[in-house]
Amino acid sequence: METSVSKGGTAIQKLIESLIKKRANLKDWIQKANDFYRVRDLESFEELLQNAITHGYKTYAGYKDDLLKIYTMLAGHFVRLISKSLGGPHSEWQAKLSSIVLAMDELKIGLTDAQFLLCRGFALMVTNTRLAEADQCFATVLQRIPHNVAALLGRSCLAYQRQDYRLALGHIKSVFYNFPQGPADVRVAMGHCFLKIGNFDSARRAFEVAVSSNGHSLNALLGIAHLKLRKRQQAATKDAVNLLCAAFEMDSQHPLVLTWLAVHFYYSHDYDKMKSAAGTAYRLTDSPQLKAQNCFQIARGLHVNRNYEDAFAFYRKAVTHSPAGYVLPYLGLAQMCVRLNRLDEAEVALRTLLRALPDQTQALRILAALYAQRDDPAAQDMAIQLFRKAQREDDYCSHLSLADIYQRKQLWQDAIDCYDKAMSTHRRLHSTHNLPINWLNNVAALQMHLNQPKAALRTLDKALAMRDDASQEHWQSNMLTLRFNRARVLEALHLEEQAAQSYTQLISEYPSYCDSYVRLGHMANKRNLINAFENAEVPDFDLPDEILDMLTQHLKKSKGCYMSIAVANLCVIKAQRLKAMGKDITENGYLKQALSIYHTAFQANERNVWAANGLGVVLCITNQMKQGQTIFRRIVKSGNKCPEAILNYANVALELNNYKKAIARYLNCLQLLPQNYHARVMHFLAKTYFQTGQVTESKQWLLKARHLAPHKMMLLYNLSITIKQECGLVFASKSPETEEFKRAKRDIKQANRFFEYLGNVDESFHLAKKLARKCKLLRFHEWKNEDNNIDEEPAVKRRKKEDREKENSNSAEDWEGNKKNKHVKEIEMGKCEEYNQKSLEKMCRMDGNENATECKNSAKSLRKSKEGKKKRKNKTDLNDMDTD
């Protein structure tokens, strides 16, 4: 074969040299070229014409006409090559065709010959330039030859390219009306027009007629296969694959056949064959559409096999080759960008896809998920809109995603409504009453946020009743979580014994489940706090050592931050109780252990705000308020991820007597912290106003706190003291207004009733009855003075004024939390001033949230003894408030 090629090459070269030597005109070159074309030697045909242009004799009459004819022949040759083959060097042929068209234009010969106009029209159409001029060429031919087949087909192709499919179909029908025995490929063209206008039956008949007239019409087989694949039925798909195999036997190098077989292999999970077929088609074709499709198929195969890096490269290559309107690779590209944490690129890809396919469900969901991850409220609102747009009748995933966003926005009821819709859709689709128990668990958590513990208990009981449905994924761990959360709800309902039994049962079944130990420790801590009011002596604050020992033991087995912070919190509580008993905690082992744990957790993750918050609490316990304040300030600046640090930041300002800063920070807390913190913050805010002498403002905030937490007796007790103090100030006024005096009389009576109620229902408030008697005494003196309206001597007035000051001072000291037992007072007189144990205990008490044990703290120090005495002498309204 090499010899024949060599001989052929030698023969054409000798012919070219002979024509050049004879100085032959272009007509001779054209005649020789036609001889090669008749025997299908297209390479020699093209080479001879190219040499005629460069080496042909030029100085004779009619040279330009002959040159234009050569250009026309070459243009027809390249048009035929491009139209006959889906593969091949299309870009190279198109470049040559474009240069030929420019050369024809430079000759400036306006021929009206039909052959010239047809070649020129097809050349302009194939190169996709000056399409209107190409259409004019075909129209000119049809004016001279009304039923010219080539011109009709050319205009049909241009109309099809403009997406005017009915006009294209009309031109093709004109061909068959005049030439019923037309080639099969014209029938194929008619079938594609029917496909585009949605007339699938007519398209099928056109393809079948094409196959019956020419059994080797590969394009007709592909058309029928396409129609069968559209049905998405198993039998039809099998027939389509058989047709593709028949087409492959006709031409194993046909890029379109290989592309469709690659799609079939992908859905058959035969990824090796898929990559082979798609790779071969990619190499054989020069069509951007087919290149993009095959890169997309290869990328999908790599995606399925979790080869994300290579999949990302092929998705990007598919996007590079994609012509206008082909946007499927953008979805895969976005998925890979998300995998590789290139979120900005993912968003750009998804937006590109949605511009072409605005209702593409998966793209809407991914883009919504990207927006949902942001802390920007506007982005979260956009995510909500996208998830709503992506919802379908059989779709509960969007409802679940919406519930997650509403939960992050603390719209608890909206989140519950979304879960209800998701569960309703799930029941309808699966025809079962059993639901994923993790959904019910999440609903119960939301109900707890809405302060609906009874509803949460019913939801958890419903989930626990589905014990037979153990086929659900992660069933064992989900059931464990449900049982633990049920115990948490029992805690919230003050059913401590039942909750303790549940935790103990969980420990016996799951000894490594540390959360149960934490809750038992917290419950023991709470019981000790409640018992602290039963007598005037120092109670036994000792936290059960077995709880702490169990926690420490499991901490060694588990390196989780959650467990370590829990142990550290309990150690801090233990240390501060010892401090309240008057013991020196500077060398305390519990405090050292807590510091070690906090430091370890913080070194493992410098963004662990709970560990940093714990360090700040320990600093405050050891009277290093400034350093603790610095830590809290840094946590607050880093964001709102640690509500307790935000509250502690305000508490430290209060303890440092920076009342203006404390008020500003507490007001900021009301904006930043969740609603379940608001009652506590308002209580602190009321205390700050009380200490600054703004008793009326203190009462207003206590009333707001009572509205949020009416069950807290401490709020009622402190509200009563505030009312008593305010009324005392009114009664002590030289000339009170009549309305103000009447209001004070009503309020002091109300305070009296509050104190009597508290003294009867709760033994913890052992001073309430005494304060009730003081309210009665205050009422008697002031009303008697008002009713008799008798002028008193100066000495009597002075004595009564002193009695009022003493009474107001006693009222301030009576605020729950300032009274300390005799033992602590004696210790305090002989040592440095110490923190109020109860307030410090709240600074590090364990939170009741489901998934985290948080350091709940509210650091407050007592006034120094000397300062306290001095302030009580000079100012009766600066008093410490206890907050529950």
Side-chain angles (χ1 to χ4, degrees), residues 614-634:
L615 291 174
V617 172
V618 174
L619 289 173
C620 290
I621 291 176
T622 56
N623 294 330
Q624 302 178 64
M625 301 291 292
K626 293 290 185 181
Q627 294 86 338
Q629 185 181 35
T630 301
I631 290 179
F632 295 140
R633 181 173 62 251
R634 292 180 179 177

PDB file of all heavy atoms in Angstrom, residues 614-634:
ATOM      1  N   GLY A 614     -15.370  29.451  78.960  1.00  0.00           N
ATOM      2  CA  GLY A 614     -15.045  28.822  80.239  1.00  0.00           C
ATOM      3  C   GLY A 614     -13.816  29.428  80.886  1.00  0.00           C
ATOM      4  O   GLY A 614     -13.768  29.635  82.096  1.00  0.00           O
ATOM      5  N   LEU A 615     -12.804  29.736  80.067  1.00  0.00           N
ATOM      6  CA  LEU A 615     -11.606  30.393  80.600  1.00  0.00           C
ATOM      7  C   LEU A 615     -11.958  31.754  81.193  1.00  0.00           C
ATOM      8  O   LEU A 615     -11.448  32.139  82.254  1.00  0.00           O
ATOM      9  CB  LEU A 615     -10.568  30.552  79.494  1.00  0.00           C
ATOM     10  CG  LEU A 615      -9.910  29.269  78.983  1.00  0.00           C
ATOM     11  CD1 LEU A 615      -9.013  29.577  77.797  1.00  0.00           C
ATOM     12  CD2 LEU A 615      -9.090  28.612  80.083  1.00  0.00           C
ATOM     13  N   GLY A 616     -12.839  32.486  80.493  1.00  0.00           N
ATOM     14  CA  GLY A 616     -13.248  33.779  81.022  1.00  0.00           C
ATOM     15  C   GLY A 616     -13.975  33.645  82.345  1.00  0.00           C
ATOM     16  O   GLY A 616     -13.779  34.459  83.267  1.00  0.00           O
ATOM     17  N   VAL A 617     -14.796  32.621  82.501  1.00  0.00           N
ATOM     18  CA  VAL A 617     -15.517  32.398  83.748  1.00  0.00           C
ATOM     19  C   VAL A 617     -14.551  32.111  84.890  1.00  0.00           C
ATOM     20  O   VAL A 617     -14.692  32.637  85.997  1.00  0.00           O
ATOM     21  CB  VAL A 617     -16.526  31.245  83.569  1.00  0.00           C
ATOM     22  CG1 VAL A 617     -17.138  30.858  84.900  1.00  0.00           C
ATOM     23  CG2 VAL A 617     -17.607  31.643  82.592  1.00  0.00           C
ATOM     24  N   VAL A 618     -13.557  31.252  84.623  1.00  0.00           N
ATOM     25  CA  VAL A 618     -12.581  30.929  85.670  1.00  0.00           C
ATOM     26  C   VAL A 618     -11.819  32.176  86.101  1.00  0.00           C
ATOM     27  O   VAL A 618     -11.546  32.387  87.289  1.00  0.00           O
ATOM     28  CB  VAL A 618     -11.622  29.836  85.171  1.00  0.00           C
ATOM     29  CG1 VAL A 618     -10.513  29.593  86.182  1.00  0.00           C
ATOM     30  CG2 VAL A 618     -12.382  28.539  84.922  1.00  0.00           C
ATOM     31  N   LEU A 619     -11.472  33.021  85.151  1.00  0.00           N
ATOM     32  CA  LEU A 619     -10.788  34.268  85.504  1.00  0.00           C
ATOM     33  C   LEU A 619     -11.665  35.138  86.388  1.00  0.00           C
ATOM     34  O   LEU A 619     -11.175  35.776  87.340  1.00  0.00           O
ATOM     35  CB  LEU A 619     -10.409  35.028  84.225  1.00  0.00           C
ATOM     36  CG  LEU A 619      -9.282  34.409  83.388  1.00  0.00           C
ATOM     37  CD1 LEU A 619      -9.131  35.153  82.065  1.00  0.00           C
ATOM     38  CD2 LEU A 619      -7.966  34.441  84.155  1.00  0.00           C
ATOM     39  N   CYS A 620     -12.948  35.204  86.100  1.00  0.00           N
ATOM     40  CA  CYS A 620     -13.851  35.998  86.927  1.00  0.00           C
ATOM     41  C   CYS A 620     -13.987  35.399  88.323  1.00  0.00           C
ATOM     42  O   CYS A 620     -14.067  36.130  89.315  1.00  0.00           O
ATOM     43  CB  CYS A 620     -15.226  36.095  86.261  1.00  0.00           C
ATOM     44  SG  CYS A 620     -15.240  37.106  84.769  1.00  0.00           S
ATOM     45  N   ILE A 621     -14.007  34.069  88.412  1.00  0.00           N
ATOM     46  CA  ILE A 621     -14.111  33.416  89.722  1.00  0.00           C
ATOM     47  C   ILE A 621     -12.901  33.768  90.581  1.00  0.00           C
ATOM     48  O   ILE A 621     -13.009  33.978  91.792  1.00  0.00           O
ATOM     49  CB  ILE A 621     -14.233  31.894  89.550  1.00  0.00           C
ATOM     50  CG1 ILE A 621     -15.578  31.551  88.923  1.00  0.00           C
ATOM     51  CG2 ILE A 621     -14.096  31.181  90.884  1.00  0.00           C
ATOM     52  CD1 ILE A 621     -15.735  30.093  88.627  1.00  0.00           C
ATOM     53  N   THR A 622     -11.742  33.861  89.969  1.00  0.00           N
ATOM     54  CA  THR A 622     -10.506  34.171  90.691  1.00  0.00           C
ATOM     55  C   THR A 622     -10.246  35.670  90.763  1.00  0.00           C
ATOM     56  O   THR A 622      -9.103  36.103  90.929  1.00  0.00           O
ATOM     57  CB  THR A 622      -9.329  33.457  90.016  1.00  0.00           C
ATOM     58  OG1 THR A 622      -9.284  33.833  88.624  1.00  0.00           O
ATOM     59  CG2 THR A 622      -9.463  31.956  90.122  1.00  0.00           C
ATOM     60  N   ASN A 623     -11.305  36.466  90.620  1.00  0.00           N
ATOM     61  CA  ASN A 623     -11.238  37.920  90.777  1.00  0.00           C
ATOM     62  C   ASN A 623     -10.365  38.617  89.734  1.00  0.00           C
ATOM     63  O   ASN A 623      -9.882  39.721  89.963  1.00  0.00           O
ATOM     64  CB  ASN A 623     -10.742  38.297  92.180  1.00  0.00           C
ATOM     65  CG  ASN A 623     -11.718  37.882  93.253  1.00  0.00           C
ATOM     66  OD1 ASN A 623     -12.921  37.844  93.010  1.00  0.00           O
ATOM     67  ND2 ASN A 623     -11.214  37.556  94.424  1.00  0.00           N
ATOM     68  N   GLN A 624     -10.168  38.010  88.581  1.00  0.00           N
ATOM     69  CA  GLN A 624      -9.442  38.658  87.486  1.00  0.00           C
ATOM     70  C   GLN A 624     -10.469  39.139  86.462  1.00  0.00           C
ATOM     71  O   GLN A 624     -10.564  38.644  85.351  1.00  0.00           O
ATOM     72  CB  GLN A 624      -8.456  37.677  86.862  1.00  0.00           C
ATOM     73  CG  GLN A 624      -7.442  37.112  87.837  1.00  0.00           C
ATOM     74  CD  GLN A 624      -6.510  36.110  87.188  1.00  0.00           C
ATOM     75  OE1 GLN A 624      -5.735  36.446  86.290  1.00  0.00           O
ATOM     76  NE2 GLN A 624      -6.600  34.867  87.648  1.00  0.00           N
ATOM     77  N   MET A 625     -11.232  40.126  86.888  1.00  0.00           N
ATOM     78  CA  MET A 625     -12.366  40.580  86.097  1.00  0.00           C
ATOM     79  C   MET A 625     -11.943  41.201  84.772  1.00  0.00           C
ATOM     80  O   MET A 625     -12.580  40.988  83.736  1.00  0.00           O
ATOM     81  CB  MET A 625     -13.189  41.580  86.905  1.00  0.00           C
ATOM     82  CG  MET A 625     -13.726  41.028  88.208  1.00  0.00           C
ATOM     83  SD  MET A 625     -14.991  39.780  87.935  1.00  0.00           S
ATOM     84  CE  MET A 625     -16.295  40.773  87.270  1.00  0.00           C
ATOM     85  N   LYS A 626     -10.899  42.001  84.784  1.00  0.00           N
ATOM     86  CA  LYS A 626     -10.475  42.677  83.563  1.00  0.00           C
ATOM     87  C   LYS A 626     -10.076  41.667  82.490  1.00  0.00           C
ATOM     88  O   LYS A 626     -10.434  41.796  81.313  1.00  0.00           O
ATOM     89  CB  LYS A 626      -9.302  43.611  83.863  1.00  0.00           C
ATOM     90  CG  LYS A 626      -9.648  44.790  84.751  1.00  0.00           C
ATOM     91  CD  LYS A 626     -10.528  45.786  84.011  1.00  0.00           C
ATOM     92  CE  LYS A 626     -10.772  47.030  84.847  1.00  0.00           C
ATOM     93  NZ  LYS A 626     -11.653  48.004  84.156  1.00  0.00           N
ATOM     94  N   GLN A 627      -9.286  40.645  82.899  1.00  0.00           N
ATOM     95  CA  GLN A 627      -8.873  39.628  81.930  1.00  0.00           C
ATOM     96  C   GLN A 627     -10.072  38.843  81.406  1.00  0.00           C
ATOM     97  O   GLN A 627     -10.169  38.531  80.213  1.00  0.00           O
ATOM     98  CB  GLN A 627      -7.852  38.673  82.568  1.00  0.00           C
ATOM     99  CG  GLN A 627      -6.532  39.323  82.929  1.00  0.00           C
ATOM    100  CD  GLN A 627      -6.557  39.983  84.307  1.00  0.00           C
ATOM    101  OE1 GLN A 627      -7.618  40.324  84.828  1.00  0.00           O
ATOM    102  NE2 GLN A 627      -5.374  40.162  84.887  1.00  0.00           N
ATOM    103  N   GLY A 628     -11.017  38.513  82.305  1.00  0.00           N
ATOM    104  CA  GLY A 628     -12.225  37.821  81.859  1.00  0.00           C
ATOM    105  C   GLY A 628     -13.031  38.662  80.894  1.00  0.00           C
ATOM    106  O   GLY A 628     -13.563  38.166  79.900  1.00  0.00           O
ATOM    107  N   GLN A 629     -13.110  39.968  81.184  1.00  0.00           N
ATOM    108  CA  GLN A 629     -13.845  40.868  80.296  1.00  0.00           C
ATOM    109  C   GLN A 629     -13.208  40.900  78.903  1.00  0.00           C
ATOM    110  O   GLN A 629     -13.907  40.940  77.892  1.00  0.00           O
ATOM    111  CB  GLN A 629     -13.864  42.272  80.894  1.00  0.00           C
ATOM    112  CG  GLN A 629     -14.718  43.260  80.108  1.00  0.00           C
ATOM    113  CD  GLN A 629     -14.682  44.638  80.728  1.00  0.00           C
ATOM    114  OE1 GLN A 629     -13.668  45.060  81.253  1.00  0.00           O
ATOM    115  NE2 GLN A 629     -15.796  45.343  80.674  1.00  0.00           N
ATOM    116  N   THR A 630     -11.875  40.869  78.837  1.00  0.00           N
ATOM    117  CA  THR A 630     -11.188  40.875  77.541  1.00  0.00           C
ATOM    118  C   THR A 630     -11.554  39.641  76.714  1.00  0.00           C
ATOM    119  O   THR A 630     -11.820  39.728  75.508  1.00  0.00           O
ATOM    120  CB  THR A 630      -9.669  40.929  77.764  1.00  0.00           C
ATOM    121  OG1 THR A 630      -9.345  42.102  78.511  1.00  0.00           O
ATOM    122  CG2 THR A 630      -8.936  40.957  76.436  1.00  0.00           C
ATOM    123  N   ILE A 631     -11.598  38.489  77.383  1.00  0.00           N
ATOM    124  CA  ILE A 631     -11.946  37.253  76.662  1.00  0.00           C
ATOM    125  C   ILE A 631     -13.385  37.329  76.156  1.00  0.00           C
ATOM    126  O   ILE A 631     -13.682  37.008  75.000  1.00  0.00           O
ATOM    127  CB  ILE A 631     -11.751  36.035  77.582  1.00  0.00           C
ATOM    128  CG1 ILE A 631     -10.251  35.808  77.828  1.00  0.00           C
ATOM    129  CG2 ILE A 631     -12.366  34.789  76.954  1.00  0.00           C
ATOM    130  CD1 ILE A 631      -9.957  34.646  78.738  1.00  0.00           C
ATOM    131  N   PHE A 632     -14.306  37.776  77.010  1.00  0.00           N
ATOM    132  CA  PHE A 632     -15.702  37.867  76.584  1.00  0.00           C
ATOM    133  C   PHE A 632     -15.856  38.835  75.412  1.00  0.00           C
ATOM    134  O   PHE A 632     -16.632  38.593  74.488  1.00  0.00           O
ATOM    135  CB  PHE A 632     -16.579  38.314  77.750  1.00  0.00           C
ATOM    136  CG  PHE A 632     -16.632  37.326  78.888  1.00  0.00           C
ATOM    137  CD1 PHE A 632     -16.618  37.750  80.210  1.00  0.00           C
ATOM    138  CD2 PHE A 632     -16.691  35.967  78.637  1.00  0.00           C
ATOM    139  CE1 PHE A 632     -16.661  36.843  81.242  1.00  0.00           C
ATOM    140  CE2 PHE A 632     -16.742  35.041  79.674  1.00  0.00           C
ATOM    141  CZ  PHE A 632     -16.717  35.486  80.985  1.00  0.00           C
ATOM    142  N   ARG A 633     -15.113  39.942  75.455  1.00  0.00           N
ATOM    143  CA  ARG A 633     -15.208  40.926  74.376  1.00  0.00           C
ATOM    144  C   ARG A 633     -14.754  40.326  73.052  1.00  0.00           C
ATOM    145  O   ARG A 633     -15.379  40.530  72.005  1.00  0.00           O
ATOM    146  CB  ARG A 633     -14.374  42.160  74.707  1.00  0.00           C
ATOM    147  CG  ARG A 633     -14.450  43.236  73.617  1.00  0.00           C
ATOM    148  CD  ARG A 633     -13.763  44.534  74.027  1.00  0.00           C
ATOM    149  NE  ARG A 633     -12.353  44.355  74.279  1.00  0.00           N
ATOM    150  CZ  ARG A 633     -11.787  44.409  75.492  1.00  0.00           C
ATOM    151  NH1 ARG A 633     -12.545  44.642  76.558  1.00  0.00           N
ATOM    152  NH2 ARG A 633     -10.499  44.238  75.647  1.00  0.00           N
ATOM    153  N   ARG A 634     -13.687  39.545  73.075  1.00  0.00           N
ATOM    154  CA  ARG A 634     -13.200  38.918  71.838  1.00  0.00           C
ATOM    155  C   ARG A 634     -14.194  37.896  71.302  1.00  0.00           C
ATOM    156  O   ARG A 634     -14.382  37.773  70.087  1.00  0.00           O
ATOM    157  CB  ARG A 634     -11.843  38.260  72.093  1.00  0.00           C
ATOM    158  CG  ARG A 634     -10.724  39.266  72.360  1.00  0.00           C
ATOM    159  CD  ARG A 634      -9.408  38.573  72.615  1.00  0.00           C
ATOM    160  NE  ARG A 634      -8.334  39.547  72.848  1.00  0.00           N
ATOM    161  CZ  ARG A 634      -7.081  39.211  73.163  1.00  0.00           C
ATOM    162  NH1 ARG A 634      -6.752  37.934  73.282  1.00  0.00           N
ATOM    163  NH2 ARG A 634      -6.179  40.149  73.360  1.00  0.00           N
TER     164      ARG A 634
END
